[in-house]
Amino acid sequence: MEFKAIGVLGAGTMGAGIAQVCAEAGFKVVLVDIAPEFVDKAVKGMNKNWSKAVEKGKMAADQAEKLNALVTTSTDNAAFKDCDIVIEAIVENIDIKKKVFKQLGEICGPDAILASNTSALSITEIAAATNRPNKVVGMHFFNPVPVMKLIEVIPGAETTDDVVEAVMDLSRKIGKEPVRAKESPGFIVNRILVPYINEAAIVYQEGIASAEEIDKAMKLGANMPMGPLALCDLVGIDVVLAICEYYWREFGDSKYRPSLAFRQKVRAGHLGMKTGKGFYDYTKK
Ligand code: 3HC
């Protein structure tokens, strides 16, 4: 399987990062979201990152222009019709994903692969909604996408090995290291990382230490690159809460009960860096 054009559905933090690394690897990228302001913000962000790379002497100025030319945007999923693969990075809602994947199957050519960047949801369930469950696969990136090296590749029940291999190969071509994981809630990284973040939020909620002290402790005591509550703000408190609730439902095990601190912050609209407030206040910086 040869990839020339890559579709990215969803121009949020993850979608923008995925579009950026695909363009950097020389692929044509079609970036789609529901509103022009979302795709415009993503393209602006990519160009800002490329300008920084030029300033640091890591990229030639004409290279940044070439990369920008590789990215086209649209608000219509029909723009994916000639893409060899579409990577979906939209909201973590299984019903919306199923609806969108069904539509992508109708738009894309018969050989196109449909990949989901879902953090935790069932690839098999998403695949079953399409006309090509053998060509649907999980391709899970990590935030911030331009920096994080890993991609988890997750086959659904009917995904063929050649599709998995093609996506692993594509992952290497965009400068990442793929790891294959069996389908299970949260796959590998989020299965381990989310309960860790949740425990940190429970420690916070119990008043054992402040957010700053918890993060400092984990950075200096366990050599984490950033503390769990700062990481939670980076990922999105709503996202972490939704993943905890999903584990609780799927595994039926109360060890996945989410911290009340998540619920309180989500109710207040404090979702982390993306809203300016979470465990930390970013509006003052
Ligand atoms: N976009 C692009 N580049 C970025 C970036 C971003 N958002 N954030 C940082 N960078 C780049 C910087 O430009 C810098 O590049 P340079 O070396 O060329 O100068 C480099 O990364 C290092 O950045 P900083 O010096 O500013 O900061 P740090 O060294 O502290 O690194 C960090 C920042 C990479 C975010 C680091 O703190 C880290 O690795 N944190 C943990 C991240 C993590 O665990 N992510 C996984 C989250 S889970 C997930 O995504 C799964 C999902 O399903 C929930």
Side-chain angles (χ1 to χ4, degrees):
M1 275 175 220
E2 212 196 325
F3 297 103
K4 288 192 183 116
I6 299 179
V8 180
L9 176 60
T13 314
M14 297 304 283
I18 295 167
Q20 179 183 326
V21 295
C22 290
E24 285 169 2
F27 292 102
K28 279 187 193 157
V29 177
V30 179
L31 178 64
V32 175
D33 208 321
I34 47 173
E37 53 269 33
F38 298 153
V39 283
D40 291 350
K41 187 176 169 210
V43 170
K44 232 172 148 180
M46 277 179 242
N47 278 297
K48 201 170 150 198
N49 285 340
W50 292 330
S51 301
K52 268 195 212 157
V54 171
E55 274 166 31
K56 286 179 190 168
K58 290 184 174 175
M59 187 185 284
D62 65 335
Q63 177 65 3
E65 278 164 35
K66 280 185 200 152
L67 294 183
N68 185 43
L70 286 173
V71 182
T72 55
T73 61
S74 177
T75 52
D76 185 352
N77 288 348
F80 291 135
K81 88 179 163 40
D82 296 322
C83 289
D84 306 297
I85 179 168
V86 177
I87 306 169
E88 163 275 321
I90 61 168
V91 62
E92 285 288 89
N93 175 308
I94 192 78
D95 295 325
I96 298 175
K97 287 205 199 276
K98 280 157 77 173
K99 205 170 133 199
V100 160
F101 270 76
K102 180 174 183 293
Q103 193 202 23
L104 291 176
E106 286 154 8
I107 289 167
C108 296
D111 295 330
I113 294 175
L114 305 180
S116 176
N117 177 54
T118 179
S119 320
L121 301 177
S122 164
I123 303 303
T124 301
E125 191 173 348
I126 296 168
T130 73
N131 57 7
R132 63 188 77 193
N134 56 336
K135 291 196 170 64
V136 177
V137 66
M139 191 176 185
H140 184 214
F141 292 75
F142 294 83
N143 191 358
V145 177
V147 182
M148 304 301 282
K149 280 284 170 206
L150 183 70
I151 294 181
E152 289 175 320
V153 179
I154 309 104
E158 292 197 44
T159 317
T160 56
D161 270 344
D162 56 341
V163 166
V164 174
E165 281 312 315
V167 168
M168 304 230 355
D169 197 41
L170 174 64
S171 304
R172 291 183 198 103
K173 286 198 174 111
I174 59 175
K176 306 293 180 194
E177 284 286 336
V179 167
R180 184 176 173 147
K182 280 193 185 155
E183 178 169 292
S184 175
F187 320 126
I188 303 169
V189 173
N190 281 343
R191 173 75 181 274
I192 299 167
L193 187 66
V194 169
Y196 153 71
I197 295 174
N198 188 35
E199 203 59 35
I202 292 170
V203 169
Y204 167 86
Q205 165 198 317
E206 287 176 0
I208 293 167
S210 67
E212 288 82 0
E213 285 163 335
I214 292 167
D215 280 353
K216 184 176 173 184
M218 292 313 294
K219 273 168 49 181
L220 301 185
N223 256 5
M224 296 296 180
M226 68 198 293
L229 299 177
L231 181 58
C232 186
D233 279 354
L234 175 74
V235 170
I237 299 176
D238 54 331
V239 175
V240 177
L241 173 61
I243 298 175
C244 283
E245 286 176 327
Y246 179 65
Y247 290 173
W248 199 4
R249 277 200 309 277
E250 287 286 302
F251 293 114
D253 189 333
S254 65
K255 77 176 178 183
Y256 296 112
R257 81 250 170 269
S259 154
L260 283 177
F262 290 156
R263 292 195 195 286
Q264 283 157 356
K265 295 209 180 282
V266 168
R267 281 181 192 134
H270 298 163
L271 308 183
M273 286 172 84
K274 61 187 168 189
T275 58
K277 275 186 189 170
F279 286 99
Y280 295 91
D281 187 346
Y282 302 90
T283 57
K284 291 180 188 154
K285 284 182 187 165

